[in-house]
Amino acid sequence: MAFTIRRASDLPREAAWDAVTDLRAHTAHVPLTDVEVPDGGLVLGAEVNAVTRLGPVAGSDRMLVTALEPGRRLRLVKTGWFLRGWADITVDDDPAGSRVTWTEEIWLPGLRRQTRPVGDRLGPLLFGKVVEGLVAGAERRRGGS
């Protein structure tokens, strides 16, 4: 099972895409976490790393770009030792502007059956704030909703 977050916006599709795929900007919406994107940006095969730190303890969420349709779809597969899963982010045209759909599954390696339901419950709380923050921020900057 996966969780899905949907967010409609009056932003044009390209602007919504730019907002939700600015992975470095996710840092502002995920406490204690810095997202590192390679210098070449989001390209097929690129590795993104989200590092969460609490004092001396740190965890790394490594993700590989496995599908990319610029302006439309990004798929990240979690490849790290701490988290596994995937995220599929799409942005579609909508009569009012655009629609962001973020679908994801997360689990701990070796404990998929036990931990995926926890990810399904907690994921919308965390990633819903990320999607809302990114899209709302882009709307404010543009003077939209």
Side-chain angles (χ1 to χ4, degrees):
M1 185 102 178
F3 64 86
T4 299
I5 298 156
R6 290 181 181 82
R7 171 61 156 82
S9 174
D10 64 357
L11 291 170
R13 182 179 44 81
E14 297 81 12
W17 169 261
D18 289 345
V20 296
T21 61
D22 181 356
L23 299 185
R24 286 184 185 100
H26 289 210
T27 297
H29 305 283
V30 183
L32 310 172
T33 301
D34 291 311
V35 180
E36 303 163 355
V37 178
D39 290 337
L42 291 178
V43 297
L44 201 57
E47 186 176 72
V48 176
N49 190 24
V51 180
T52 302
R53 290 183 178 82
L54 183 57
V57 179
S60 177
D61 180 12
R62 294 193 175 280
M63 297 165 275
L64 188 65
V65 175
T66 61
L68 180 62
E69 298 170 41
R72 163 102 175 67
R73 179 175 177 240
L74 170 65
R75 183 173 179 91
L76 300 165
V77 173
K78 296 176 180 291
T79 61
W81 64 270
F82 179 65
L83 286 176
R84 293 290 168 87
W86 53 268
D88 203 62
I89 303 163
T90 60
V91 182
D92 295 302
D93 288 314
D94 187 81
S98 59
R99 182 179 60 258
V100 174
T101 304
W102 182 306
T103 303
E104 184 159 350
E105 273 190 2
I106 49 178
W107 64 85
L108 298 178
L111 299 169
R112 182 176 183 168
R113 200 171 93 219
Q114 295 86 356
T115 59
R116 194 181 68 198
V118 175
D120 288 348
R121 282 192 300 278
L122 296 179
L125 299 173
L126 174 64
F127 293 102
K129 289 180 182 181
V130 172
V131 171
E132 179 59 31
L134 294 169
V135 174
E139 289 170 341
R140 280 191 302 278
R141 287 187 298 278
R142 185 178 163 83
S145 353

